């Protein structure tokens, strides 16, 4: 390591300047009493044996330098990627500044030869050296002895493979891509052992990841491992002690990698081959508009999966600093407290997170408006249409974290002076283009969002709020939910990267598509064994109706849906006309097979009902673009080795052809008419309530053991959909001791009548003709869940 001990001797400098091309000017280490000088920042650099990194003075501005570590660039035109910085907020002068390893064993950065602006606070009387390891870790150690200091213990905004984030460290974003000073975003473990992203702005701070309205277990996090350590390995697998894990989309390949908390508040993993450019191979947040503070106050963020996100000022507001939207927008009007001089402008489909002065769960628009008028500090109100009684009102004292959300059924009403003609958004930023510029060929970033759920949570978990800080809300949600909930599992949003497979690879895995295990309208499913010995269900879609790009977008949406009651997608293949999906394999086959072979006792059936409802609720409510299943039936509910249900084939309606939802393609779903909602026949709008209907029928089948499938060729129109099964159960239910009469005789006597009653009630609600009367899947889960915890 120490082969340039002479490096700092005057004679070597002399030689270097005479023979600049002959001699590698970099050093392998720095010894006591020697320094790196800012004037020679091009040659005074420490380089590891593998030559991948450099440590030395890095120019951050005109006459400003910081002591840093960066990736060596194969191409002189590539921008340098800094991975660590000692004095990020306090660069030093380009004259007489130095990094020195003092005789005391302390490393110091001296500005203009005088001011000590950074030091490692180390001391040693032994011989020590500062050197850069092959993994990018700058280490100060006593010769053949103790490590006194290492840069891996003091990360800035980047973790390198093998560098752990611990309870003592955090990542802090840069202020902007060019300004390396500390920015507003932080990644760290909180006191509950959960890895968090926090916006820590000049005025306010709030947690935005995991989604603040999810309790930790719903976000797939585990609070009870206090080791608090997270690390990315060199093959692209990230593991955190709170069970947030993922594999990058290029995992198991040998590449250069880094994990960076970018200045826009998102954490991204970048990777590259030796000579190529950095590509995003994973990101924590897919819809960047869910990052708090991104557009500043009085503005809204809109997200487009192809173009990225952009900010715009609300009507009546103008941007403060168009080069830096985090300053937000300022009003162009003066509002006084006189309610006669105020009016409200509706901005539909826009949602503002937090800063509610008042929350009224069921109220009219006029009440909400008056509530805002009476309060001088009210800047506007959020009114969420819930249909009839359930509309809710939130009056806002600040307009922060605004976001366009196409599925949000509500609007923000801005308080403006009466004599105004503001109607348009006044200033609009350009798209950040993060998505389109950096989108590598098999990476598509688009993440269903859970923003919609915030107000639901607010309504159920917290009552009227009085200006609680967002973090307090979050903590409160955790505490209240944790106590009331008996279910420690649930959502597992921590998605795992999906892999691209080649066609020959899958052909081999399925032994030439020999073992067929299922068949449906969309294609045939084969059993296969992947090269890593995992058993997989490999679905071969019938026809390539979509281009590769569009297919990949949909696959990535489906692939990132991750829930214990949804079949997990591991990968896909899109080559030529071949379109295949690789999914997990379920030992116990489908619910249909199990119902007919009489393997399901009463408690298994109840768990299947509950699990299926959870999976569907997740599909309906967690996704920005609601994913309707449209083909819920026992054949599509698979059972794992413990008879836990997992829904298969969700999202296929998206993959095959969007038109499947139109009546013209009715034939595709003919075979399962017994489970179909009347909307299909009457050509009514198709909403998530079609799945609720089908689910209701499956419940009835679970209880009675009778299949609803009617003779599809002979029945046309209304009757078919009222199904004999539904009518039969309704009739029985009006009589005496009906439970015993309808229950599947194969269950035997070992069942709880009260739970059957609930199941049947829920089922009949679900199969109501009028889709507005049917409950949502979330409500179904609540009804079944509370029944379950009563029993415990
Ligand atoms: C180094 O030596 C000095 C004097 O010999 C002593 O005072 C000091 O404590 C020693 N420091 C360490 C870290 O051993
Ligand atoms: C970088 O950001 C810091 C913190 O916001 C600011 O004080 C500084 O002026 C910025 N530097 C440049 C060169 O813009
Ligand atoms: C967290 O991960 C560990 C090990 O992978 C597993 O044993 C444990 O059940 C997980 N905890 C939760 C709550 O998922
Ligand atoms: C806690 O997390 C660490 C690091 O991820 C892991 O090695 C350890 O097994 C976990 N402990 C438990 C009890 O899950
Ligand atoms: C947003 O507008 C309000 C007035 O409606 C103003 O008080 C506040 O300072 C503005 N926020 C920002 C970030 O400009
Ligand atoms: C309405 O807008 C026009 C031009 O945009 C402006 O000249 C006029 O003063 C505005 N009127 C009011 C009442 O603000």
């Amino acid at each position: 390591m120490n082969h340039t001990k002479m490096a700092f001797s005057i004679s070597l400098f002399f030689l270097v300047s005479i023979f600049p091309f002959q001699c590698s000017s970099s050093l392998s280490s720095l010894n006591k009493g020697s320094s790196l000088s800012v004037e020679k920042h091009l040659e005074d650099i420490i380089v590891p044996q593998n030559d991948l990194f450099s440590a030395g003075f890095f120019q951050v501005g005109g006459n400003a330098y910081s002591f840093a570590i960066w990736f060596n660039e194969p191409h002189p035109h590539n921008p340098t990627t800094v991975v660590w910085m000692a004095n990020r907020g306090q660069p030093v002068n380009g004259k007489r500044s130095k990094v020195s390893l003092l005789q005391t064993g302390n490393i110091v950065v001296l500005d203009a030869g005088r001011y000590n602006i950074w030091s490692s606070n180390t001391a040693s009387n032994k011989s020590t050296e500062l050197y850069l390891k092959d993994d990018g870790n700058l280490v100060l150690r006593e010769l053949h002895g103790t490590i006194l200091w290492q840069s891996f213990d003091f990360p800035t905004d980047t973790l390198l493979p093998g560098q752990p984030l611990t309870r003592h460290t955090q990542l802090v974003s840069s202020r902007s891509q060019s300004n390396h000073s500390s920015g507003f975003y932080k990644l760290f473990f909180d006191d509950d052992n959960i890895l968090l992203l926090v916006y820590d702005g000049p005025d306010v701070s709030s947690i935005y990841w995991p989604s603040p309205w999810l309790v930790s277990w719903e976000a797939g996090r585990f609070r009870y491992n206090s080791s608090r350590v997270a690390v990315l390995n060199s093959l692209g697998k990230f593991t955190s002690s709170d069970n947030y894990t993922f594999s990058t989309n290029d995992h198991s390949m040998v590449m250069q990698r880094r994990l960076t908390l970018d200045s826009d508040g998102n954490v991204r993993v970048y990777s590259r081959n030796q000579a190529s450019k950095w590509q995003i191979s994973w990101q924590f947040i897919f819809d960047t508009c869910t990052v708090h503070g991104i557009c500043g106050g009085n503005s809204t963020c809109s997200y487009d999966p192809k173009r990225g996100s952009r900010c715009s000022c609300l009507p009546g507001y103008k941007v403060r600093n168009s080069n830096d939207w985090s300053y937000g927008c300022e009003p162009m009007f003066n509002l006084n407290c006189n309610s006669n001089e105020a009016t409200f402008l509706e901005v539909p489909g826009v949602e503002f997170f937090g800063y509610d002065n008042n929350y009224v769960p069921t109220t009219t628009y006029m009440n909400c408006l008056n509530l805002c008028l009476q309060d001088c500090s009210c800047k506007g109100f959020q009114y969420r249409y819930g249909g009839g009684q359930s509309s809710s009102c939130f009056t806002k004292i600040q307009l922060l974290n605004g976001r366009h959300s196409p599925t949000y059924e509500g609007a923000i009403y801005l308080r403006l002076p009466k004599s105004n003609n503001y109607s348009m958004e006044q200033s609009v930023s350009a798209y950040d283009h993060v998505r389109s510029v950096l989108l590598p060929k098999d990476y598509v970033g688009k993440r269903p969002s859970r923003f919609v759920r915030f107000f639901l949570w607010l309504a159920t978990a917290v009552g009227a709020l009085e200006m609680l800080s967002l973090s307090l809300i979050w903590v409160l949600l955790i505490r209240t939910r944790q106590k009331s909930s008996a279910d420690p599992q649930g959502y597992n949003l921590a998605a795992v990267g999906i892999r691209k497979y080649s066609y020959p690879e899958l052909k081999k895995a399925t032994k030439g598509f020999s073992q067929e295990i299922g068949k449906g309208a969309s294609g045939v499913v084969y059993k296969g064994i992947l090269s890593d010995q995992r058993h997989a269900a490999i679905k071969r879609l019938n026809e390539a109706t979509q281009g590769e790009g569009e297919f990949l977008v949909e696959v990535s949406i489906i692939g990132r849906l991750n829930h214990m009651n949804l079949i997990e997608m591991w990968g896909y293949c899109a080559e030529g006309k071949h379109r295949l999906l690789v999914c997990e394999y379920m030992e116990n086959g489908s619910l249909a097979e199990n119902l007919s072979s009489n393997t399901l006792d009463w408690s298994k059936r109840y768990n299947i009902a509950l699990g299926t409802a959870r999976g569907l609720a997740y599909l309906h409510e967690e996704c920005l673009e609601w994913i309707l299943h449209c083909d819920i039936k026992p054949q599509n509910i698979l059972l794992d080795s413990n008879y836990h249900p997992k829904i298969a084939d969700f999202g296929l309606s998206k993959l095959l052809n969007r038109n499947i939802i139109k009546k013209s393609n009715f034939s595709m779903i003919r075979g399962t008419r017994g489970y179909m909602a009347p909307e299909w026949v009457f050509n009514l709008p198709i909403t998530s309530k079609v799945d609720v209907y089908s689910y209701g029928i499956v419940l009835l089948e679970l209880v009675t053991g009778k299949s609803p499938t009617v003779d599809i060729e002979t029945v046309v129109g209304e009757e078919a959909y009222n199904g004999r099964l539904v009518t039969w159960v309704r009739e029985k239910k009006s009589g005496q001791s009906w439970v015993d009469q309808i229950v599947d005789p194969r269950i035997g006597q070992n069942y709880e009548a009260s739970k059957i009653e609930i199941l049947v009630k829920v089922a009949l609600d679900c199969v109501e003709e009028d889709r507005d009367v049917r409950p949502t899947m979330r409500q179904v889960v609540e009804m079944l869940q509370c029944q379950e915890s009563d029993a415990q």
Side-chain angles (χ1 to χ4, degrees):
M1 288 306 272
N2 229 347
H3 57 269
T4 50
K5 280 248 170 78
M6 302 277 292
F8 277 83
S9 72
I10 293 165
S11 60
L12 183 58
F13 279 149
F14 184 68
L15 283 175
V16 166
S17 53
I18 294 176
F19 304 110
F21 304 110
Q22 201 173 353
C23 189
S24 159
S25 52
S26 56
L27 323 167
S28 67
S29 67
L30 197 62
N31 299 311
K32 267 190 178 173
S34 50
S35 319
L36 307 176
S37 120
V38 73
E39 283 92 350
K40 303 200 188 69
H41 68 269
L42 294 180
E43 61 251 37
D44 272 12
I45 48 177
I46 306 174
V47 170
Q49 277 183 333
N50 65 6
D51 217 25
L52 283 184
F53 298 91
S54 295
F57 276 113
F58 177 79
Q59 188 163 12
V60 295
N63 187 34
Y65 295 81
S66 292
F67 179 40
I69 302 169
W70 59 90
F71 273 99
N72 284 334
E73 283 310 319
H75 282 287
H77 301 302
N78 284 0
T80 307
T81 306
V82 173
V83 298
W84 178 81
M85 212 170 247
N87 50 325
R88 63 194 305 204
Q90 245 184 313
V92 295
N93 198 292
K95 288 250 154 45
R96 289 186 294 124
S97 298
K98 297 193 281 198
V99 180
S100 306
L101 176 51
L102 305 179
Q103 291 296 348
T104 58
N106 199 5
I107 316 165
V108 293
V109 176
L110 294 178
D111 186 13
R114 276 187 294 171
Y115 310 104
N116 181 348
I117 60 135
W118 180 88
S119 94
S120 61
N121 296 316
T122 44
S124 167
N125 281 344
K126 301 204 180 104
S127 165
T128 60
E129 65 165 357
L130 180 66
Y131 75 110
L132 192 52
K133 287 173 62 175
D134 283 349
D135 57 4
N137 191 6
L138 186 67
V139 174
L140 177 69
R141 68 162 182 202
E142 293 175 336
L143 280 190
H144 315 295
T146 342
I147 291 180
L148 300 173
W149 177 93
Q150 54 183 346
S151 62
F152 269 21
D153 289 342
F154 301 89
T156 47
D157 63 354
T158 296
L159 291 181
L160 291 168
Q163 177 180 8
L165 188 74
T166 67
R167 62 172 64 235
H168 305 296
T169 60
Q170 61 175 9
L171 296 188
V172 179
S173 66
S174 291
R175 188 64 182 80
S176 70
Q177 276 181 350
S178 55
N179 186 340
H180 294 272
S181 304
S182 297
F184 298 139
Y185 299 101
K186 292 185 174 153
L187 176 75
F188 58 92
F189 283 98
D190 75 352
D191 292 343
D192 277 336
N193 307 318
I194 304 280
L195 189 62
L196 294 179
L197 279 169
V198 167
Y199 167 68
D200 190 4
D203 305 318
V204 296
S205 73
S206 53
I207 296 165
Y208 58 94
W209 180 91
S211 301
W213 54 94
L214 292 179
V215 297
S216 56
W217 56 262
E218 276 187 312
R221 304 303 187 85
F222 181 64
R223 289 167 59 203
Y224 305 105
N225 185 336
S226 48
S227 60
R228 292 192 207 166
V229 58
V231 67
L232 175 75
N233 74 13
S234 58
L235 295 178
K237 178 148 201 229
F238 181 87
T239 42
S240 165
S241 55
D242 68 353
N243 274 18
Y244 176 69
T245 58
F246 62 80
S247 299
T248 58
N249 65 7
D250 53 9
H251 64 93
S252 54
M253 288 153 80
V254 177
M255 301 186 107
Q256 290 180 27
R257 301 178 190 276
R258 65 188 166 96
L259 177 147
T260 303
L261 171 51
D262 285 327
S263 55
D264 66 356
N266 203 350
V267 177
R268 299 191 179 84
V269 180
Y270 295 84
S271 42
R272 69 174 181 188
N273 288 320
Q274 213 69 314
S276 60
K277 284 194 177 145
W278 292 106
Q279 310 247 291
I280 300 173
S281 55
W282 186 261
Q283 54 191 357
F284 281 19
I285 292 170
F286 289 84
D287 176 349
T288 39
C289 282
T290 59
V291 175
H292 286 176
I294 189 99
C295 290
N298 304 319
S299 66
T300 60
C301 178
S302 50
Y303 175 74
D304 179 306
K306 296 206 178 67
R307 291 185 286 184
S309 58
R310 68 168 173 179
C311 306
S312 45
C313 290
L314 288 169
Y317 292 82
K318 67 172 196 291
V319 65
R320 277 182 197 271
N321 177 349
S322 56
N323 294 322
D324 188 347
W325 274 77
S326 64
Y327 292 107
C329 306
E330 56 191 347
M332 297 187 286
F333 53 84
N334 275 320
L335 255 191
N336 62 27
C337 210
N338 188 342
S339 57
N340 292 327
E341 290 172 25
T343 184
F344 288 89
L345 176 67
E346 176 184 356
V347 188
V350 165
E351 189 183 16
F352 278 80
F353 180 92
Y355 305 94
D356 309 315
N357 202 3
N358 235 315
Y359 159 63
V360 188
T362 49
T363 191
T364 63
Y365 168 80
M366 278 315 290
N367 281 344
C368 192
L369 188 150
N370 284 326
L371 204 58
C372 183
L373 275 183
Q374 283 157 20
D375 177 1
C376 276
S377 61
C378 178
K379 304 286 190 294
F381 62 92
Q382 186 95 50
Y383 192 67
R384 183 178 198 275
Y385 321 127
Q389 292 289 300
S390 60
S391 296
S392 37
C393 166
F394 306 80
T395 64
K396 299 278 174 189
I397 49 158
Q398 284 203 62
L399 299 169
L400 283 172
N401 307 320
R403 182 169 166 271
H404 279 281
S405 172
T407 54
Y408 180 65
E409 295 178 358
I412 183 88
Y413 293 84
L414 299 176
R415 184 177 182 156
L416 293 170
K418 257 204 176 110
S419 53
N420 82 74
N421 56 7
Y422 307 125
S423 55
M424 297 279 293
E425 286 162 341
Q426 305 291 321
S427 346
V428 182
S429 76
Y431 281 103
D432 63 3
H433 288 294
V434 170
R435 208 68 57 252
S436 49
V437 171
L438 292 159
L439 199 71
K441 57 182 180 309
D442 61 352
Y443 167 77
V444 194
K446 186 174 184 184
R447 175 63 168 154
S449 138
R450 280 158 294 285
F451 221 85
V452 181
R453 295 197 51 213
F454 170 62
F455 291 106
L456 283 177
W457 275 109
L458 204 61
T460 52
V462 202
L465 284 176
E466 295 205 352
M467 297 169 62
L468 278 177
S469 81
L470 286 181
S471 50
L472 193 56
I473 296 176
W474 196 77
V475 169
L476 226 145
L477 278 167
I478 287 189
R479 298 281 142 81
T480 46
R481 289 291 304 179
Q482 208 76 35
K483 281 186 197 121
S484 64
S485 164
D487 184 354
Q489 295 165 321
Y491 300 110
N492 174 19
L493 304 177
V496 179
I498 53 174
R499 240 201 78 183
K500 181 175 185 166
Y501 289 89
S502 72
Y503 186 73
E505 213 175 338
L506 293 185
K507 193 167 174 185
K508 187 174 161 215
T510 55
K511 298 203 178 77
F513 301 101
S514 54
Q515 196 182 345
E516 187 177 315
I517 52 174
K519 195 170 197 165
S522 53
V524 181
V525 188
Y526 300 92
K527 186 171 178 187
I529 298 178
L530 303 176
S531 54
D532 57 8
Q533 300 308 313
R534 283 187 300 179
H535 290 228
I538 297 174
K539 179 154 202 160
R540 195 172 175 165
L541 300 179
N542 281 340
E543 282 294 313
T545 49
Q546 283 178 323
E548 193 170 330
E550 207 182 334
F551 178 80
L552 290 188
V553 171
E554 306 291 10
V555 163
S556 78
I557 297 174
I558 299 170
R560 291 202 164 90
L561 294 173
N562 216 309
H563 186 275
M564 60 185 295
N565 296 117
L566 298 180
I567 286 288
E568 200 177 307
M569 190 194 294
W570 291 337
Y572 65 93
C573 163
E575 275 176 25
K577 62 182 177 24
H578 301 299
R579 300 284 181 273
L580 295 100
L581 301 176
V582 180
C583 300
E584 62 180 322
Y585 173 78
M586 290 288 109
E587 291 93 308
N588 276 324
S590 72
L591 175 58
E593 291 161 36
N594 283 273
L595 275 176
S596 60
S597 68
N598 190 22
T599 45
L600 301 173
D601 63 19
W602 163 243
S603 78
K604 281 183 191 136
R605 292 187 193 213
Y606 195 86
N607 285 333
I608 291 167
L610 182 56
T612 308
R614 283 186 178 143
L616 279 173
Y618 173 82
L619 276 183
H620 288 175
E621 289 180 19
E622 305 294 323
C623 312
L624 188 64
E625 292 178 77
W626 284 12
I627 295 192
L628 308 185
H629 191 291
C630 294
D631 198 11
I632 289 293
K633 55 180 175 179
Q635 286 78 5
N636 279 335
I637 298 169
L638 304 184
L639 303 177
D640 72 7
S641 52
N642 295 317
Y643 293 92
H644 291 311
K646 294 197 181 216
I647 301 170
D649 269 9
F650 52 90
L652 273 190
S653 54
K654 287 180 141 308
L655 271 185
L656 288 171
N657 190 337
R658 289 161 196 285
N659 292 335
I660 194 176
I661 301 199
K662 292 202 185 124
K663 201 190 169 189
S664 51
N665 275 13
F666 200 51
S667 58
M668 292 199 69
I669 18 189
R670 272 188 116 172
T672 40
R673 258 198 198 170
Y675 299 91
M676 282 164 54
E679 289 96 298
W680 295 103
V681 173
F682 301 127
N683 210 13
L684 294 169
I686 299 304
T687 66
S688 58
K689 295 294 178 68
V690 301
D691 288 346
V692 175
Y693 185 95
S694 309
Y695 173 79
I697 300 283
V698 171
L699 277 194
L700 292 180
E701 190 169 350
L702 266 175
V703 172
T704 64
K706 294 189 192 328
S707 162
T709 324
V710 289
D711 183 356
I712 56 167
E713 297 308 326
T714 57
V715 210
V716 180
E718 198 172 351
E719 261 185 344
Y721 300 96
N722 237 334
R724 286 191 219 141
L725 181 59
V726 176
T727 327
W728 181 73
V729 172
R730 282 214 174 103
E731 275 167 12
K732 290 282 177 201
K733 191 165 177 272
S734 56
Q736 292 286 312
S737 63
W738 56 276
V739 170
D740 297 341
Q741 291 181 29
I742 63 162
V743 89
D744 187 350
R746 287 171 293 188
I747 299 180
Q749 291 304 306
N750 202 1
Y751 59 84
E752 294 162 74
S754 66
K755 277 189 167 186
I756 299 241
E757 282 172 26
I758 286 284
L759 274 192
V760 171
K761 182 188 173 307
V762 170
L764 292 179
D765 285 351
C766 289
V767 298
E768 284 288 347
E769 290 285 298
D770 178 355
R771 63 175 193 273
D772 293 335
V773 180
R774 295 176 210 150
T776 63
M777 285 316 299
R778 162 81 26 215
Q779 289 164 330
V780 169
V781 171
E782 274 158 16
M783 289 187 270
L784 299 182
Q785 200 157 262
C786 82
Q787 193 61 22
E788 188 185 45
S789 48
D790 283 353
Q792 281 165 0

